[in-house]
Amino acid sequence: MKRRIKKKFLWLDVWNIEEQEAWFSDMASQGWKLISTDGWYAKFEKCEPEKVNYRCDVFKLKDGGGNNPIELYKEAGWEYVASRRLVHIFRTNEDANIVEIHTDPNEQAETLSILKKNITRMGMAVVFLSMLIILITLATIRIDPVGNYLNNKFMEVIVVMLASMYISISMITGIIHMSKLMRKLKSGSLFEHRIEYKRKINKNRIMGIVVNSITLLWVISNFGMLIGIITKDRFPSIPEKDIPVIRMSDIMDETTYIKKVDPYKNKGDRLNYYIVNSSLLVPKQHELNESVEVTGVMWEDKSGIYSPSIYSYAYETRGEWVAKGLAKELLKKYDYYAEEGYRYVQDSEFDDLWIGKEEVRCTFIGRKRENVYRVVYYGIEPVEKIIELVLDKVENQ
């Protein structure tokens, strides 16, 4: 007859001594006998329902022979089942006339001190490393603040912080729990072998599922983004239809110019493209890059054929507070486009407007309610005209 095996996740931590004993005994009463454990799972074999006492003891296995506790317990009638690091699990039938593993609370407290020292040492190391990871993550997020808005960079911080805090809190909880167990033993009370354990399992399960689900969603999101980057066209062609950003045909008659040729066009037309993206904070992102040449017209300094170009961006955010933050971060990130700095314009149809102007390059960043616009234009048209064209585009949307 084929053995029926069931694996159940170990939602009880290694320091939940009483709860583990109660859970294993309860599983036996339901017809499932514990046969092994690993780092994450307990494995049970189907059997006849029986009343079984499970006991957990804490000790270090000695190298070589001589006074091996497991062998001593076997000789005393206890069946060795499995181990979880320093915690070793034994069982015997409830009606068997076998002496308890521990009858002296003080003696058991001494054995628990081994586990407490181990958990304390690991806990302090985990808390220190978690704090270090959180501080480093918080520092790295300031490297590209714009990425928090446009590329969900902040999600990495949230996931790392949640995972680190979860592990740290779990280890601190273990240290506190071990202290309570030792106080209980030193007061003269032995363990409760049939303690209520389901609430502890449910609590750990909920916390674990929440943290793991967030981490999994983040991993899937990053994987999907990576696949999208690899598979999609990096420089899509500019469509003929109307788009939410200004383009060269909004500035000048398109019959007067031709597209500038990208010398590396085999890798995509990096001089003329239109990209649409999305993120949690900025669900609609539009980016246009367009470079043209006007045949028969020279730059004013006679340096070559007049070839204006434009970088045009439009961002629709989740709300005004997001738009305000994004605008300020864009100012910081792209301040090099305005060598003399951006000038804030008090009276404007935009809610906020910053302008940077040079000889043949003008740039501005404007916010209108929850929308943010950024334009960098190389050409002879004045910045005021470019701003007016953007406002027309906003009003017609």
Side-chain angles (χ1 to χ4, degrees):
M1 184 175 177
K2 187 177 179 180
R3 297 170 65 195
R4 289 181 59 190
I5 304 296
K6 175 190 289 187
K7 290 179 72 174
K8 294 184 75 69
F9 197 88
L10 282 165
W11 289 113
L12 291 171
D13 294 301
V14 68
W15 51 78
N16 297 130
I17 305 294
E18 296 169 299
E19 289 84 356
Q20 289 178 87
E21 293 178 347
W23 179 41
F24 297 146
S25 296
D26 191 32
M27 289 294 291
S29 70
Q30 299 173 38
W32 291 99
K33 178 174 68 175
L34 179 69
I35 57 175
S36 67
T37 61
D38 57 26
W40 301 101
Y41 292 92
K43 187 182 291 186
F44 297 88
E45 181 182 7
K46 185 62 179 175
C47 64
E48 291 297 323
E50 54 184 348
K51 295 182 179 180
V52 177
N53 290 330
Y54 280 87
R55 298 292 182 264
C56 297
D57 197 11
V58 180
F59 54 81
K60 294 181 179 180
L61 288 174
K62 298 179 180 179
D63 296 330
N67 296 326
N68 188 324
I70 292 179
E71 295 302 322
L72 294 176
Y73 287 134
K74 286 181 178 179
E75 292 174 5
W78 288 93
E79 178 188 356
Y80 170 71
V81 183
S83 295
R84 295 185 68 186
R85 297 196 293 272
L86 295 174
V87 177
H88 305 276
I89 306 164
F90 301 86
R91 69 165 162 246
T92 187
N93 289 333
E94 192 174 284
D95 55 359
N97 188 20
I98 296 176
V99 178
E100 281 285 349
I101 288 180
H102 284 291
T103 56
D104 183 352
N106 289 319
E107 179 185 326
Q108 189 170 14
E110 290 182 11
T111 65
L112 281 190
S113 65
I114 300 172
L115 182 58
K116 183 183 178 183
K117 288 178 182 177
N118 181 266
I119 292 173
T120 301
R121 185 168 56 251
M122 290 177 58
M124 296 305 292
V126 166
V127 171
F128 174 76
L129 288 174
S130 296
M131 294 300 295
L132 185 61
I133 290 171
I134 290 173
L135 289 173
I136 292 174
T137 307
L138 287 173
T140 56
I141 201 174
R142 295 305 305 167
I143 295 175
D144 182 19
V146 172
N148 298 327
Y149 293 93
L150 305 184
N151 303 314
N152 298 325
K153 294 282 187 180
F154 70 95
M155 285 297 297
E156 180 177 344
V157 175
I158 292 176
V159 170
V160 171
M161 289 182 67
L162 280 177
S164 299
M165 289 173 64
Y166 173 72
I167 296 171
S168 298
I169 291 172
S170 178
M171 296 304 298
I172 292 172
T173 301
I175 296 171
I176 295 172
H177 185 77
M178 290 302 301
S179 298
K180 289 180 178 178
L181 287 181
M182 293 187 69
R183 283 199 300 270
K184 178 179 181 178
L185 292 169
K186 289 179 180 179
S187 69
S189 299
L190 286 167
F191 282 168
E192 299 175 45
H193 304 298
R194 298 288 181 174
I195 194 171
E196 201 285 321
Y197 63 88
K198 292 183 180 179
R199 184 178 300 174
K200 177 71 70 174
I201 286 180
N202 290 334
K203 178 183 176 182
N204 288 350
R205 180 188 289 117
I206 292 170
M207 289 296 296
I209 289 175
V210 169
V211 173
N212 289 330
S213 297
I214 293 174
T215 304
L216 181 61
L217 287 173
W218 175 70
V219 171
I220 292 174
S221 174
N222 279 339
F223 182 74
M225 188 181 300
L226 178 62
I227 294 298
I229 292 173
I230 294 173
T231 57
K232 76 176 184 180
D233 185 0
R234 292 178 59 193
F235 305 103
S237 300
I238 301 173
E240 297 296 331
K241 65 179 182 179
D242 189 36
I243 55 179
V245 291
I246 65 166
R247 56 203 294 178
M248 280 300 177
S249 59
D250 296 318
I251 300 172
M252 55 194 301
D253 187 351
E254 58 185 327
T255 62
T256 62
Y257 63 80
I258 59 173
K259 285 200 307 182
K260 196 171 182 180
V261 178
D262 182 1
Y264 304 100
K265 197 171 182 179
N266 60 318
K267 297 182 181 179
D269 191 348
R270 294 171 297 175
L271 299 181
N272 296 275
Y273 62 82
Y274 174 68
I275 299 174
V276 178
N277 279 320
S278 179
S279 69
L280 290 174
L281 295 177
V282 188
K284 293 183 180 180
Q285 305 173 24
H286 304 269
E287 174 185 348
L288 175 136
N289 182 12
E290 192 171 10
S291 298
V292 301
E293 290 183 345
V294 181
T295 306
V297 179
M298 303 289 288
W299 286 98
E300 291 181 356
D301 61 0
K302 308 300 181 182
S303 59
I305 297 175
Y306 179 51
S307 52
S309 62
I310 187 169
Y311 299 91
S312 187
Y313 306 84
Y315 305 111
E316 183 179 324
T317 71
R318 293 290 182 186
E320 285 196 33
W321 67 274
V322 179
K324 290 178 180 179
L326 174 59
K328 290 180 180 179
E329 295 301 342
L330 288 171
L331 281 169
K332 295 176 185 177
K333 181 172 183 178
Y334 299 107
D335 60 346
Y336 58 86
Y337 277 111
E339 293 183 0
E340 297 181 2
Y342 281 94
R343 174 175 58 86
Y344 185 77
V345 179
Q346 295 289 344
D347 298 321
S348 170
E349 292 185 47
F350 279 104
D351 296 324
D352 291 299
L353 177 64
W354 296 267
I355 293 177
K357 189 175 180 181
E358 297 173 24
E359 188 174 350
V360 294
R361 178 175 68 188
C362 64
T363 177
F364 74 89
I365 295 172
R367 181 187 68 83
K368 187 78 169 179
R369 295 182 295 275
E370 71 277 6
N371 297 292
V372 177
Y373 302 88
R374 184 172 82 89
V375 175
V376 180
Y377 169 72
Y378 293 84
I380 59 175
E381 301 294 341
V383 67
E384 291 78 12
K385 178 180 178 179
I386 306 300
I387 293 172
E388 184 179 341
L389 290 170
V390 172
L391 285 169
D392 290 341
K393 183 75 70 171
V394 173
E395 292 174 359
N396 292 328
Q397 286 181 10

